[in-house]
């Protein structure tokens, strides 16, 4: 059977006697199949059960964590990954469990909480502080188990993960703008960035939960504030939520970021809103068609089925009333769709004459030629 190694930091107060049953429960084995060495003075290696399915070296530490575990598991069917095992240990113990992120940065960790949430964490080792202790500097997700921890996004980890540090800086600016606009609101990463399943084509997804009395002002004022932080190319409020009294979904393309890095911002009211809430505006149809073109480029780059790509392009052509269909020559198809969108913006309803259409179309063509195979 395959084997797997793990390393964990256990936050909060853990007794040594808890480690063995926690690992047995997390890995689904009997306690007798787990051997834990507690790094005690005078411990004899000959006393260890070296044939155990789970071998753990437990090193006591101090600071925000009490133990470091170096675990090796084998002879176990369906070995969990680090995230899954950390969550099992967190649920078993009711405490936070940290595991190393697959990055060179030594302060980069993921923190699993008893409620099932997982978020990035920044933790400094004893060499980085005056008290020689392990200190959790920041968590992405608030948890009652670490009430004094600072809550923030670990931007440098995000930049490392996607090998695109300008995105981390852009996200920092967006978050600062939202927090300045409504300091009492709560911000959460959503989507692939929150679960570390992102790739170079992933969007930015944020959920912004504001007090009900601030909801209308947040919806009405955020476009201008974001534009001052990172100039907007185009913005949209999803019409599906215009009748919802306490929720909006806003989408933004930025001039300074790749088109793949659009922002999807969900705004929620934490309490019943007061006062009228603006409905917002949807994209003009040409802009909507161009968003489909971006989606098609992304789908091709991700090697999605041809049917998915064709559907995105055909819906884009239909939105601008073009009697065209995707041909399967994807780069050419995307260019044809951008041209159809430009024609519709120039010839159609004045509401479709968004000045951003021509600029967005040019950006889409550039992105398609850079990303997709040629004709």
């Amino acid at each position: 059977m395959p084997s797997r190694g793990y390393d964990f930091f256990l936050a909060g107060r853990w007794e040594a006697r808890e480690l063995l049953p926690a690992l047995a429960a997390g890995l689904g084995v009997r306690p007798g199949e787990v051997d834990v060495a507690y790094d005690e003075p005078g411990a004899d290696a000959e006393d260890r059960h070296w044939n155990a399915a789970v071998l753990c070296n437990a090193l006591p530490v101090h600071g925000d964590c009490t133990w470091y575990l170096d675990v090796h598991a084998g002879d176990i069917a369906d070995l969990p990954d680090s995230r899954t095992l950390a969550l099992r240990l967190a649920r078993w113990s009711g405490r936070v469990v940290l595991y190393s992120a697959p990055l060179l940065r030594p302060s980069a960790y993921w923190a699993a909480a008893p409620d099932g949430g997982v978020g990035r964490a920044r933790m400094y080792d004893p060499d980085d502080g005056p008290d020689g202790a392990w200190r959790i500097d920041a968590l992405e997700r608030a948890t009652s188990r670490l009430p004094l921890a600072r809550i923030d996004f670990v931007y440098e980890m995000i930049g490392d993960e996607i090998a695109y540090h300008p995105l981390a800086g852009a996200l920092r600016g967006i978050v600062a703008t939202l927090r300045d606009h409504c300091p009492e609101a709560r911000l959460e990463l959503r989507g692939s960035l929150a679960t570390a399943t992102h790739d170079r084509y992933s969007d930015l997804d944020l959920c912004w939960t504001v007090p009900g009395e601030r909801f209308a002002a947040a919806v009405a004022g955020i476009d201008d504030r974001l534009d001052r932080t990172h100039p907007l190319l185009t913005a949209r409020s999803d019409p599906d939520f215009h009748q919802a009294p306490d929720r909006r979904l806003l989408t933004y393309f930025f001039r300074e970021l790749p088109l793949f890095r659009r922002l999807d911002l969900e705004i929620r009211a934490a309490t019943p809103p007061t006062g009228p809430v603006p409905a917002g505006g949807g994209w003009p149809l040409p802009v909507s068609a161009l968003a489909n073109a971006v989606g098609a480029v992304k789908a091709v780059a991700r090697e999605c089925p041809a049917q998915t790509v064709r559907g995105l392009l055909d819906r884009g052509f239909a939105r601008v009333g073009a009697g065209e269909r995707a041909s399967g020559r994807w780069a050419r198809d995307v260019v044809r769709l951008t041209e159809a969108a430009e024609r519709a913006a120039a010839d159609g309803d004045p509401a479709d004459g968004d000045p951003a259409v021509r600029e967005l179309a040019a950006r889409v063509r550039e992105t398609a030629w850079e990303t997709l195979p040629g004709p």
Side-chain angles (χ1 to χ4, degrees), residues 256-323:
E256 299 171 350
L257 289 178
L259 294 181
F260 301 131
R261 304 303 189 184
R262 77 181 197 185
L263 169 66
D264 288 333
L265 176 65
E266 181 181 357
I267 308 179
R268 289 181 174 267
T271 54
T274 58
V277 181
W283 276 325
L285 290 175
V287 176
S288 184
L290 291 171
N292 269 51
V294 175
V297 175
K298 183 185 300 189
V300 175
R302 286 175 166 166
E303 299 183 348
C304 293
Q307 181 180 357
T308 300
V309 183
R310 192 178 301 276
L312 286 162
L313 292 166
D314 287 348
R315 288 193 296 275
F317 283 123
R319 283 195 170 108
V320 292

Side-chain angles (χ1 to χ4, degrees), residues 184 210-220 244-248 268-278:
E184 60 271 43
V210 303
E213 64 272 17
R214 298 293 306 276
F215 182 68
V219 174
D246 58 357
R247 186 181 176 197
R248 292 292 183 274
R268 289 181 174 267
T271 54
T274 58
V277 181

Side-chain angles (χ1 to χ4, degrees), residues 1-3 73-79:
M1 288 187 180
S3 61
D75 281 337
I76 299 173
D78 299 322
L79 281 170

Side-chain angles (χ1 to χ4, degrees), residues 7-222:
D7 67 290
F8 300 113
F9 279 93
L10 310 182
R13 303 306 305 173
W14 285 68
E15 300 296 332
R17 57 183 171 79
E18 296 180 277
L19 303 184
L20 190 151
L23 289 169
L27 288 162
V29 298
R30 297 188 304 274
E33 297 178 88
V34 180
D35 179 84
V36 179
Y38 295 95
D39 196 43
E40 296 172 341
D44 192 340
E46 293 182 358
D47 294 334
R48 298 202 62 179
H49 177 19
W50 291 108
N51 293 323
V54 181
L55 295 171
C56 172
N57 292 312
L59 175 68
V61 296
H62 72 284
D64 293 326
C65 298
T66 50
W67 292 94
Y68 168 73
L69 306 185
D70 179 13
V71 181
H72 180 83
D75 281 337
I76 299 173
D78 299 322
L79 281 170
D81 58 20
S82 291
R83 176 191 176 96
T84 301
L85 182 52
L87 282 169
R88 292 175 183 174
L89 296 175
R91 282 193 292 266
W92 185 93
S93 66
R95 282 157 284 190
V96 174
V97 175
L98 291 88
Y99 59 97
S100 297
L103 301 169
L104 294 177
R105 193 179 297 273
S107 60
Y109 294 86
W110 286 88
D115 65 0
V118 178
R120 295 173 186 82
R122 182 190 299 117
M123 184 168 68
Y124 293 126
D125 67 30
D127 293 337
D128 292 321
D131 58 355
W134 291 90
R135 294 299 179 196
I136 298 173
D137 178 68
L139 294 171
E140 277 186 351
R141 298 181 73 258
T143 172
S144 61
R145 296 302 179 181
L146 293 170
L148 301 181
R150 184 166 62 94
I151 306 304
D152 199 4
F153 300 121
V154 188
Y155 302 101
E156 71 277 8
M157 277 182 68
I158 294 171
D160 289 346
E161 288 163 357
I162 62 176
Y164 184 68
H165 287 272
L167 175 65
L171 178 61
R172 187 189 295 272
I174 291 166
V175 168
T177 296
L178 296 172
R179 287 178 173 159
D180 180 67
H181 190 33
C182 188
E184 60 271 43
R186 183 176 74 253
L187 265 175
E188 299 173 86
L189 271 178
R190 294 286 180 86
S192 58
L193 272 179
T195 58
T197 56
H198 50 280
D199 59 22
R200 59 178 299 191
Y201 310 108
S202 296
D203 302 331
L204 297 171
D205 293 285
L206 288 172
C207 182
W208 191 32
T209 304
V210 303
E213 64 272 17
R214 298 293 306 276
F215 182 68
V219 174
I222 195 55

